[in-house]
Amino acid sequence: MISCLIVDDEQGAIDILKTFIDKTPFLTLAGSTTNPIEALSIVQDQAIDLIFLDIHMPQISGLDFMRLLKGKSKVILTTAYSEFAVEGFELEALDYLLKPIAFERFLKAAQKALNTSMDSTARWQTAEKEDDYIFVKTESKGKMTKVNFDEIVFVEGMKNYISINTADDRIVTLLNIKDLEDRLPPKNFMRVHKSYIVSLNKIKALDGNQILFKDMKAYVPLGETYRNAFFEALQEKVMGGKK
């Protein structure tokens, strides 16, 4: 599933793209905004795979937005002006949709995003077989600690630092939580809150909005923004309930 964000200063254009995303089974809407500054904050806090981005906006242009984005998410440009296509592709836009956008043309661009995502996943799975740990710098000067991915229970973001929690240890390092999220294998780890990443393999139980873990008294809150994606990821494992 590809997580999408719509950034456009016209609410009508946003509504059309929302309808198109709802009709496309491999896309899911993470949010929308008419404010590109707010959009940058959303991308910093959430894992956004794909942005449908307008070019002409009052605060900053879509092209300047892409420069600030620095490749954190893939972009499909949406605009009524064709003259910016070359510059858009130079900034590595996946596609360039001219308004008014027909659904068939939208679907073609979305398929391109899906193919790119599948290629990236295949490359990651190949690398993952050899890359199952990282070294992080700790509070002690000159000291680096090896962190095995299969030992991580959850990660907590603390402004400019993160705390990597295992069953036996707590490692504090100067890292951005988004940077570590991008490095962890997505089939085993998931962002469940603005400040938390959890290992899906270490979850013991769910109690309301609290995620509990094996061999630990600590729990992690499940943020409302991440709730739907979290339960979607767990859906195949859920059994029982009301009939």
Side-chain angles (χ1 to χ4, degrees):
M1 189 69 72
I2 297 175
S3 173
C4 303
L5 175 67
I6 304 170
V7 186
D8 197 304
D9 66 340
E10 298 179 1
Q11 187 59 48
I14 289 177
D15 292 341
I16 290 171
L17 288 171
K18 281 183 176 180
T19 301
F20 288 174
I21 289 172
D22 286 342
K23 292 167 64 175
T24 308
F26 54 84
L27 299 181
T28 182
L29 182 64
S32 63
T33 179
T34 58
N35 186 334
I37 305 301
E38 180 185 7
L40 287 171
S41 178
I42 293 172
V43 173
Q44 184 66 28
D45 292 338
Q46 299 184 41
I48 302 296
D49 301 314
L50 179 64
I51 301 174
F52 291 94
L53 178 65
D54 189 18
I55 290 182
H56 281 280
M57 292 182 289
Q59 295 92 341
I60 58 174
S61 74
L63 298 177
D64 286 337
F65 180 96
M66 289 186 70
R67 294 184 182 96
L68 293 171
L69 191 63
K70 296 180 179 178
K72 286 181 184 270
S73 307
K74 297 297 183 183
V75 172
I76 292 176
L77 291 170
T78 60
T79 180
Y81 304 91
S82 60
E83 62 264 31
F84 299 102
V86 173
E87 190 172 358
F89 285 120
E90 286 177 348
L91 291 170
E92 298 185 352
L94 271 183
D95 211 334
Y96 194 97
L97 300 179
L98 283 174
K99 299 177 181 178
I101 302 168
F103 177 66
E104 291 77 12
R105 182 65 183 88
F106 171 91
L107 192 58
K108 182 178 179 180
Q111 186 66 51
K112 187 183 295 185
L114 177 62
N115 293 341
T116 301
S117 176
M118 292 172 65
D119 288 344
S120 297
T121 300
R123 288 193 297 269
W124 171 258
Q125 289 173 341
T126 300
E128 186 185 25
K129 295 176 182 179
E130 301 175 357
D131 185 12
D132 56 0
Y133 65 88
I134 54 173
F135 280 94
V136 296
K137 295 180 180 179
T138 62
E139 295 167 307
S140 302
K141 187 175 181 180
K143 181 180 178 182
M144 298 184 70
T145 299
K146 182 180 180 181
V147 181
N148 294 312
F149 291 160
D150 62 3
E151 294 179 357
I152 297 174
V153 178
F154 68 90
V155 178
E156 180 181 4
M158 304 178 297
K159 292 186 177 180
N160 296 325
Y161 290 82
I162 61 169
S163 170
I164 302 172
N165 297 269
T166 70
D168 305 312
D169 202 2
R170 179 174 179 268
I171 303 159
V172 177
T173 183
L174 181 62
L175 269 179
N176 181 290
I177 192 169
K178 182 66 167 63
D179 292 336
L180 182 59
E181 180 183 16
D182 291 341
R183 189 68 183 272
L184 292 170
K187 70 176 183 179
N188 296 330
F189 291 89
M190 190 168 190
R191 188 85 165 263
V192 296
H193 186 278
K194 179 179 179 180
S195 302
Y196 291 96
I197 299 169
V198 303
S199 167
L200 298 175
N201 294 332
K202 304 292 185 181
I203 294 175
K204 178 182 180 181
L206 302 174
D207 186 0
N209 288 329
Q210 296 180 354
I211 301 172
L212 311 178
F213 303 98
K214 305 171 186 175
D215 305 320
M216 289 188 75
K217 294 183 179 179
Y219 70 87
V220 162
L222 176 59
E224 188 63 32
T225 303
Y226 302 86
R227 187 178 182 85
N228 289 342
F230 177 73
F231 280 107
E232 183 177 320
L234 296 186
Q235 190 62 43
E236 293 183 359
K237 303 293 185 182
V238 176
M239 298 181 66
K242 295 180 179 180
K243 296 184 179 179

